[in-house]
Amino acid sequence: MSSLRGRLRATAYRTFYRLPGRWKRRIVRTVQPTYTIGAVVLVRDPEVSRILLLRQPPGAGWSLPAGLMDRGETPIECAARELGEETGIKLPTERLRPANPNAVVHTRGQWVDMVFETEVEPEDEYTVDAAEVLEAAWHRLDNLPPLTVSTSNLLAHYGIGPYRDYPEVLSR
C-alpha cells in the first residue's frame, strides 16, 4: 500500500513541476494557508513605565495601535500610518524600530503582526479617529486595564501584561 502511495506522490510531483509557473503559483496559493499581515505599534512613555492603549468598538478591552497593510505598503509604513490615523501621532518611519521579536505569527488565526516600538512624550489629548477608536490613554505597565485577548497574547512576547508568565501563550 505504501509503495502505491509513493508512486502516486512521485507522479503528482512530476506532473506539478511540468506545469507553467503561473499555474503552479495558483495551485500553491489555493492549497497553502494564507496569512494576513498587520502592523502594531508599542508606544512607550520615555519617562514612566507606561504604554499607550486604545479602546475600540465594541469597547470590550484595550488594544495597541494597529492595522492591516495596504497593497504595496511596507510593514513600517503601515505602522506609522495606523499610529497617525488612530491616535493623531504622526511620526516618520525613522522614529519606529522593530521590536524583538519583530514578527509574531498567530498560526490559529493565520495572521502575522509586524511589531514596532517607539517613545513619545505623553500629551493631554489625542486626535482619535472616532469611527475606529473610542479613546486613547496611557496606562502603567503594573496596572493595565482589561485588554483584548489578542493584545494580551501579543504583549506576552514582550514580557508585558496578564499572560507574560504563561509559556503556553508564547509556544502557540
Side-chain angles (χ1 to χ4, degrees):
M1 182 70 162
S2 76
S3 68
L4 175 61
R5 184 177 293 150
R7 285 195 307 259
L8 287 173
R9 189 170 178 217
T11 301
Y13 273 107
R14 279 195 302 275
T15 304
F16 176 79
Y17 286 118
R18 288 183 185 140
L19 294 173
R22 71 174 205 270
W23 290 13
K24 287 190 282 191
R25 281 190 298 280
R26 180 167 289 164
I27 290 169
V28 168
R29 287 184 183 139
T30 302
V31 175
Q32 289 296 318
T34 57
Y35 283 80
T36 302
I37 309 294
V40 179
V41 185
L42 182 54
V43 183
R44 297 178 188 264
D45 177 343
E47 301 296 321
V48 185
S49 295
R50 297 188 304 178
I51 58 174
L52 183 64
L53 295 172
L54 309 177
R55 196 168 58 83
Q56 298 177 292
W62 291 77
S63 60
L64 296 167
L68 299 177
M69 285 176 37
D70 289 338
R71 186 175 298 280
E73 189 175 43
T74 66
I76 199 164
E77 291 168 341
C78 175
R81 176 180 55 78
E82 287 292 340
L83 180 63
E85 287 176 2
E86 293 182 350
T87 67
I89 299 171
K90 306 275 190 205
L91 295 179
T93 57
E94 296 78 30
R95 290 271 316 271
L96 302 175
R97 65 184 177 285
N100 186 12
N102 181 227
V104 176
V105 180
H106 307 276
T107 55
R108 289 197 179 141
Q110 293 186 293
W111 83 88
V112 177
D113 282 326
M114 302 299 296
V115 184
F116 298 90
E117 294 180 301
T118 192
E119 289 84 24
V120 298
E121 293 295 329
E123 298 179 17
D124 293 333
E125 249 180 74
Y126 294 95
T127 310
V128 297
D129 175 358
E132 258 188 280
V133 179
L134 300 173
E135 74 180 295
W138 290 97
H139 295 277
R140 293 185 58 84
L141 294 176
D142 61 358
N143 189 24
L144 293 174
L147 303 170
T148 63
V149 172
S150 60
T151 299
S152 295
N153 286 336
L154 183 101
L155 287 174
H157 290 273
Y158 306 97
I160 301 171
Y163 297 165
R164 70 180 175 269
D165 296 324
Y166 295 94
E168 60 273 15
V169 171
L170 301 178
S171 64
R172 289 185 198 173

